[in-house]
Amino acid sequence: MPFDRYGVLAGTLHEHFRDTPDDEGAWFHVNLRVDAPDGRYKCAVDVDSHDSDTGVQWKVFTVDAAALGPVAALAPGYHELARTPGSGALDYIRHPALRRRWNRPGWLPAPLGELLDRLLGSSPPWTSGSNLEAATAFEPILTVGRSILVFGEPFDTGLGVHNVHQNQGDAYGSQWWPENGIWQDGATMTRRPDGRYDVFLNKFSGQKDHTDAAGHPV
């Protein structure tokens, strides 16, 4: 079944740091410390996978605040989100601002391609690589002092958010199959000085890009 709870933390980025591989093994994260009125939250963003030598897949892009719906205007703190379109919840496959609608031709000049991406509401293709490559791609948007949105599942105890990654499309028989669900994907977004949001999406390489109404792969 999907997560019991899902939501978004709105706050200010205090710091970020990587796990030490020798201490954490294959479960490698970029850790965030986020300040909100009720305290400092711990957020663990997965950038590694047990199931693949290529680690995770990720994409980094920028969206207008209006494309995110009501979450861009939320007050600092943790907020529960309904697993429905329009609530502010995320779904990599179904959300208009996150899904990939078109394939940019290789011959298209980059500035024109970026303009069309923005006009069409299309996110870039997935990049595959190692945990270090994923962390290196993620960290440039993690400017200390920026407003930040972290989507995922809240900790059972204490202040924190985890499962900050795609939360659907896991294969039948995997330990994560029971947690598949739509409109409950995790992500990290930081607010730029121009009011737009830099977005980091991440998923495990074994997760599929097409799912049914239960979030299971099709």
Side-chain angles (χ1 to χ4, degrees):
M1 62 179 297
F3 297 144
D4 290 331
R5 299 180 63 194
Y6 168 76
V8 61
L9 169 65
T12 302
L13 182 62
H14 174 77
E15 66 174 340
H16 64 88
F17 59 92
R18 300 179 185 182
D19 283 342
T20 302
D22 288 343
D23 293 339
E24 302 295 336
W27 293 109
F28 190 82
H29 305 88
V30 173
N31 298 280
L32 313 177
R33 298 292 182 263
V34 177
D35 289 332
D38 52 341
R40 182 164 294 160
Y41 282 73
K42 302 176 182 179
C43 306
V45 182
D46 296 86
V47 290
D48 200 3
S49 170
H50 272 290
D51 296 333
S52 171
D53 291 337
T54 61
V56 295
Q57 295 180 307
W58 67 90
K59 56 178 70 178
V60 184
F61 57 101
T62 304
V63 299
D64 292 331
L68 301 176
V71 294
L74 290 174
Y78 174 78
H79 304 267
E80 291 284 329
L81 296 175
R83 261 67 70 88
T84 58
S87 70
L90 300 185
D91 188 305
Y92 290 4
I93 298 167
R94 297 166 180 83
H95 195 295
L98 306 186
R99 69 174 184 259
R100 184 155 180 79
R101 293 184 180 177
W102 74 301
N103 292 316
R104 186 196 299 182
W107 52 263
L108 195 68
L112 179 57
E114 291 167 2
L115 175 61
L116 290 174
D117 283 346
R118 182 174 178 180
L119 293 175
L120 296 174
S122 179
S123 68
W126 292 102
T127 299
S128 297
S130 69
N131 53 16
L132 296 180
E133 290 170 323
T136 299
F138 180 29
E139 288 167 339
I141 77 167
L142 298 177
T143 302
V144 171
R146 268 192 181 188
S147 296
I148 188 169
L149 299 172
V150 183
F151 296 78
E153 182 183 25
F155 287 179
D156 290 333
T157 58
L159 299 177
V161 178
H162 63 147
N163 283 322
V164 185
H165 52 73
Q166 179 171 308
N167 292 306
Q168 59 180 311
D170 281 296
Y172 178 77
S174 77
Q175 70 185 85
W176 301 283
W177 164 274
E179 294 184 342
N180 280 336
I182 63 174
W183 295 103
Q184 62 166 21
D185 287 331
T188 310
M189 306 183 183
T190 60
R191 190 174 185 273
R192 297 156 51 101
D194 64 6
R196 304 178 74 208
Y197 279 83
D198 288 331
V199 179
F200 181 78
L201 305 185
N202 48 305
K203 73 184 186 75
F204 301 124
S205 52
Q207 292 176 313
K208 303 305 181 184
D209 292 327
H210 302 283
T211 61
D212 61 20
H216 297 315
V218 295

PDB file of all heavy atoms in Angstrom, residues 69-91:
ATOM      1  N   GLY A  69       1.738  24.708  -8.237  1.00  0.00           N
ATOM      2  CA  GLY A  69       0.465  24.767  -7.533  1.00  0.00           C
ATOM      3  C   GLY A  69       0.608  25.396  -6.158  1.00  0.00           C
ATOM      4  O   GLY A  69       1.481  26.254  -5.934  1.00  0.00           O
ATOM      5  N   PRO A  70      -0.200  24.963  -5.199  1.00  0.00           N
ATOM      6  CA  PRO A  70      -0.262  25.650  -3.900  1.00  0.00           C
ATOM      7  C   PRO A  70       0.980  25.521  -3.041  1.00  0.00           C
ATOM      8  O   PRO A  70       1.169  26.329  -2.118  1.00  0.00           O
ATOM      9  CB  PRO A  70      -1.469  24.994  -3.211  1.00  0.00           C
ATOM     10  CG  PRO A  70      -1.616  23.660  -3.875  1.00  0.00           C
ATOM     11  CD  PRO A  70      -1.185  23.872  -5.299  1.00  0.00           C
ATOM     12  N   VAL A  71       1.845  24.564  -3.302  1.00  0.00           N
ATOM     13  CA  VAL A  71       2.978  24.359  -2.388  1.00  0.00           C
ATOM     14  C   VAL A  71       3.962  25.523  -2.413  1.00  0.00           C
ATOM     15  O   VAL A  71       4.654  25.770  -1.419  1.00  0.00           O
ATOM     16  CB  VAL A  71       3.723  23.036  -2.686  1.00  0.00           C
ATOM     17  CG1 VAL A  71       2.849  21.845  -2.391  1.00  0.00           C
ATOM     18  CG2 VAL A  71       4.228  22.991  -4.111  1.00  0.00           C
ATOM     19  N   ALA A  72       4.047  26.240  -3.531  1.00  0.00           N
ATOM     20  CA  ALA A  72       5.001  27.346  -3.610  1.00  0.00           C
ATOM     21  C   ALA A  72       4.651  28.477  -2.653  1.00  0.00           C
ATOM     22  O   ALA A  72       5.516  29.285  -2.308  1.00  0.00           O
ATOM     23  CB  ALA A  72       5.076  27.865  -5.041  1.00  0.00           C
ATOM     24  N   ALA A  73       3.400  28.536  -2.205  1.00  0.00           N
ATOM     25  CA  ALA A  73       2.960  29.607  -1.306  1.00  0.00           C
ATOM     26  C   ALA A  73       2.799  29.148   0.140  1.00  0.00           C
ATOM     27  O   ALA A  73       2.326  29.912   0.977  1.00  0.00           O
ATOM     28  CB  ALA A  73       1.633  30.184  -1.809  1.00  0.00           C
ATOM     29  N   LEU A  74       3.207  27.919   0.456  1.00  0.00           N
ATOM     30  CA  LEU A  74       3.041  27.411   1.817  1.00  0.00           C
ATOM     31  C   LEU A  74       3.965  28.122   2.803  1.00  0.00           C
ATOM     32  O   LEU A  74       5.095  28.489   2.474  1.00  0.00           O
ATOM     33  CB  LEU A  74       3.334  25.908   1.862  1.00  0.00           C
ATOM     34  CG  LEU A  74       2.321  24.989   1.184  1.00  0.00           C
ATOM     35  CD1 LEU A  74       2.826  23.556   1.195  1.00  0.00           C
ATOM     36  CD2 LEU A  74       0.963  25.077   1.880  1.00  0.00           C
ATOM     37  N   ALA A  75       3.487  28.285   4.025  1.00  0.00           N
ATOM     38  CA  ALA A  75       4.314  28.837   5.094  1.00  0.00           C
ATOM     39  C   ALA A  75       5.375  27.818   5.491  1.00  0.00           C
ATOM     40  O   ALA A  75       5.210  26.612   5.279  1.00  0.00           O
ATOM     41  CB  ALA A  75       3.436  29.178   6.298  1.00  0.00           C
ATOM     42  N   PRO A  76       6.483  28.261   6.076  1.00  0.00           N
ATOM     43  CA  PRO A  76       7.509  27.316   6.516  1.00  0.00           C
ATOM     44  C   PRO A  76       6.949  26.286   7.495  1.00  0.00           C
ATOM     45  O   PRO A  76       6.108  26.594   8.336  1.00  0.00           O
ATOM     46  CB  PRO A  76       8.548  28.213   7.186  1.00  0.00           C
ATOM     47  CG  PRO A  76       8.382  29.536   6.510  1.00  0.00           C
ATOM     48  CD  PRO A  76       6.901  29.668   6.273  1.00  0.00           C
ATOM     49  N   GLY A  77       7.411  25.046   7.354  1.00  0.00           N
ATOM     50  CA  GLY A  77       6.966  23.939   8.198  1.00  0.00           C
ATOM     51  C   GLY A  77       6.620  22.740   7.349  1.00  0.00           C
ATOM     52  O   GLY A  77       6.673  22.789   6.117  1.00  0.00           O
ATOM     53  N   TYR A  78       6.269  21.638   8.011  1.00  0.00           N
ATOM     54  CA  TYR A  78       5.874  20.428   7.288  1.00  0.00           C
ATOM     55  C   TYR A  78       4.366  20.446   7.046  1.00  0.00           C
ATOM     56  O   TYR A  78       3.580  20.788   7.941  1.00  0.00           O
ATOM     57  CB  TYR A  78       6.247  19.162   8.062  1.00  0.00           C
ATOM     58  CG  TYR A  78       5.715  17.923   7.391  1.00  0.00           C
ATOM     59  CD1 TYR A  78       6.354  17.403   6.271  1.00  0.00           C
ATOM     60  CD2 TYR A  78       4.545  17.310   7.835  1.00  0.00           C
ATOM     61  CE1 TYR A  78       5.845  16.292   5.610  1.00  0.00           C
ATOM     62  CE2 TYR A  78       4.027  16.202   7.179  1.00  0.00           C
ATOM     63  CZ  TYR A  78       4.684  15.698   6.071  1.00  0.00           C
ATOM     64  OH  TYR A  78       4.158  14.613   5.417  1.00  0.00           O
ATOM     65  N   HIS A  79       3.967  20.061   5.826  1.00  0.00           N
ATOM     66  CA  HIS A  79       2.555  20.067   5.441  1.00  0.00           C
ATOM     67  C   HIS A  79       2.186  18.721   4.806  1.00  0.00           C
ATOM     68  O   HIS A  79       2.858  18.271   3.878  1.00  0.00           O
ATOM     69  CB  HIS A  79       2.279  21.180   4.422  1.00  0.00           C
ATOM     70  CG  HIS A  79       2.687  22.542   4.895  1.00  0.00           C
ATOM     71  ND1 HIS A  79       1.812  23.398   5.528  1.00  0.00           N
ATOM     72  CD2 HIS A  79       3.885  23.185   4.824  1.00  0.00           C
ATOM     73  CE1 HIS A  79       2.446  24.521   5.826  1.00  0.00           C
ATOM     74  NE2 HIS A  79       3.702  24.418   5.407  1.00  0.00           N
ATOM     75  N   GLU A  80       1.130  18.094   5.300  1.00  0.00           N
ATOM     76  CA  GLU A  80       0.604  16.883   4.664  1.00  0.00           C
ATOM     77  C   GLU A  80      -0.037  17.259   3.331  1.00  0.00           C
ATOM     78  O   GLU A  80      -0.646  18.326   3.201  1.00  0.00           O
ATOM     79  CB  GLU A  80      -0.440  16.225   5.565  1.00  0.00           C
ATOM     80  CG  GLU A  80       0.128  15.606   6.826  1.00  0.00           C
ATOM     81  CD  GLU A  80       0.844  14.290   6.560  1.00  0.00           C
ATOM     82  OE1 GLU A  80       0.440  13.565   5.626  1.00  0.00           O
ATOM     83  OE2 GLU A  80       1.815  13.996   7.285  1.00  0.00           O
ATOM     84  N   LEU A  81       0.109  16.374   2.342  1.00  0.00           N
ATOM     85  CA  LEU A  81      -0.476  16.600   1.028  1.00  0.00           C
ATOM     86  C   LEU A  81      -1.366  15.430   0.644  1.00  0.00           C
ATOM     87  O   LEU A  81      -0.997  14.265   0.842  1.00  0.00           O
ATOM     88  CB  LEU A  81       0.622  16.748  -0.029  1.00  0.00           C
ATOM     89  CG  LEU A  81       1.556  17.954   0.103  1.00  0.00           C
ATOM     90  CD1 LEU A  81       2.658  17.872  -0.958  1.00  0.00           C
ATOM     91  CD2 LEU A  81       0.783  19.265  -0.020  1.00  0.00           C
ATOM     92  N   ALA A  82      -2.527  15.752   0.091  1.00  0.00           N
ATOM     93  CA  ALA A  82      -3.391  14.705  -0.446  1.00  0.00           C
ATOM     94  C   ALA A  82      -2.737  14.112  -1.686  1.00  0.00           C
ATOM     95  O   ALA A  82      -2.115  14.828  -2.477  1.00  0.00           O
ATOM     96  CB  ALA A  82      -4.764  15.275  -0.797  1.00  0.00           C
ATOM     97  N   ARG A  83      -2.865  12.794  -1.872  1.00  0.00           N
ATOM     98  CA  ARG A  83      -2.274  12.126  -3.038  1.00  0.00           C
ATOM     99  C   ARG A  83      -3.197  12.298  -4.242  1.00  0.00           C
ATOM    100  O   ARG A  83      -3.773  11.330  -4.760  1.00  0.00           O
ATOM    101  CB  ARG A  83      -2.043  10.654  -2.712  1.00  0.00           C
ATOM    102  CG  ARG A  83      -0.634  10.302  -2.310  1.00  0.00           C
ATOM    103  CD  ARG A  83      -0.179  10.894  -0.972  1.00  0.00           C
ATOM    104  NE  ARG A  83      -0.813  10.324   0.188  1.00  0.00           N
ATOM    105  CZ  ARG A  83      -0.365   9.240   0.830  1.00  0.00           C
ATOM    106  NH1 ARG A  83       0.701   8.616   0.398  1.00  0.00           N
ATOM    107  NH2 ARG A  83      -0.970   8.808   1.906  1.00  0.00           N
ATOM    108  N   THR A  84      -3.348  13.547  -4.670  1.00  0.00           N
ATOM    109  CA  THR A  84      -4.249  13.882  -5.773  1.00  0.00           C
ATOM    110  C   THR A  84      -3.649  14.992  -6.625  1.00  0.00           C
ATOM    111  O   THR A  84      -2.861  15.809  -6.132  1.00  0.00           O
ATOM    112  CB  THR A  84      -5.611  14.375  -5.251  1.00  0.00           C
ATOM    113  OG1 THR A  84      -5.397  15.526  -4.403  1.00  0.00           O
ATOM    114  CG2 THR A  84      -6.340  13.297  -4.457  1.00  0.00           C
ATOM    115  N   PRO A  85      -4.020  15.064  -7.914  1.00  0.00           N
ATOM    116  CA  PRO A  85      -3.583  16.185  -8.742  1.00  0.00           C
ATOM    117  C   PRO A  85      -4.112  17.504  -8.180  1.00  0.00           C
ATOM    118  O   PRO A  85      -5.220  17.572  -7.672  1.00  0.00           O
ATOM    119  CB  PRO A  85      -4.217  15.879 -10.111  1.00  0.00           C
ATOM    120  CG  PRO A  85      -4.557  14.437 -10.089  1.00  0.00           C
ATOM    121  CD  PRO A  85      -4.844  14.090  -8.659  1.00  0.00           C
ATOM    122  N   GLY A  86      -3.301  18.528  -8.240  1.00  0.00           N
ATOM    123  CA  GLY A  86      -3.745  19.848  -7.813  1.00  0.00           C
ATOM    124  C   GLY A  86      -3.515  20.152  -6.352  1.00  0.00           C
ATOM    125  O   GLY A  86      -3.648  21.299  -5.932  1.00  0.00           O
ATOM    126  N   SER A  87      -3.161  19.135  -5.541  1.00  0.00           N
ATOM    127  CA  SER A  87      -2.933  19.370  -4.113  1.00  0.00           C
ATOM    128  C   SER A  87      -1.550  19.941  -3.848  1.00  0.00           C
ATOM    129  O   SER A  87      -1.276  20.437  -2.751  1.00  0.00           O
ATOM    130  CB  SER A  87      -3.073  18.059  -3.336  1.00  0.00           C
ATOM    131  OG  SER A  87      -1.993  17.184  -3.629  1.00  0.00           O
ATOM    132  N   GLY A  88      -0.682  19.854  -4.851  1.00  0.00           N
ATOM    133  CA  GLY A  88       0.727  20.167  -4.654  1.00  0.00           C
ATOM    134  C   GLY A  88       1.585  18.929  -4.581  1.00  0.00           C
ATOM    135  O   GLY A  88       2.818  19.023  -4.598  1.00  0.00           O
ATOM    136  N   ALA A  89       0.948  17.743  -4.486  1.00  0.00           N
ATOM    137  CA  ALA A  89       1.682  16.484  -4.489  1.00  0.00           C
ATOM    138  C   ALA A  89       2.392  16.307  -5.828  1.00  0.00           C
ATOM    139  O   ALA A  89       1.990  16.866  -6.852  1.00  0.00           O
ATOM    140  CB  ALA A  89       0.723  15.315  -4.243  1.00  0.00           C
ATOM    141  N   LEU A  90       3.467  15.504  -5.812  1.00  0.00           N
ATOM    142  CA  LEU A  90       4.254  15.283  -7.006  1.00  0.00           C
ATOM    143  C   LEU A  90       4.067  13.869  -7.550  1.00  0.00           C
ATOM    144  O   LEU A  90       3.897  12.917  -6.786  1.00  0.00           O
ATOM    145  CB  LEU A  90       5.738  15.503  -6.721  1.00  0.00           C
ATOM    146  CG  LEU A  90       6.161  16.880  -6.227  1.00  0.00           C
ATOM    147  CD1 LEU A  90       7.683  16.946  -6.118  1.00  0.00           C
ATOM    148  CD2 LEU A  90       5.640  17.990  -7.137  1.00  0.00           C
ATOM    149  N   ASP A  91       4.111  13.776  -8.850  1.00  0.00           N
ATOM    150  CA  ASP A  91       4.099  12.491  -9.550  1.00  0.00           C
ATOM    151  C   ASP A  91       4.977  12.684 -10.781  1.00  0.00           C
ATOM    152  O   ASP A  91       4.634  13.461 -11.669  1.00  0.00           O
ATOM    153  CB  ASP A  91       2.677  12.097  -9.937  1.00  0.00           C
ATOM    154  CG  ASP A  91       2.581  10.684 -10.488  1.00  0.00           C
ATOM    155  OD1 ASP A  91       3.315  10.381 -11.456  1.00  0.00           O
ATOM    156  OD2 ASP A  91       1.780   9.893  -9.975  1.00  0.00           O
TER     157      ASP A  91
END
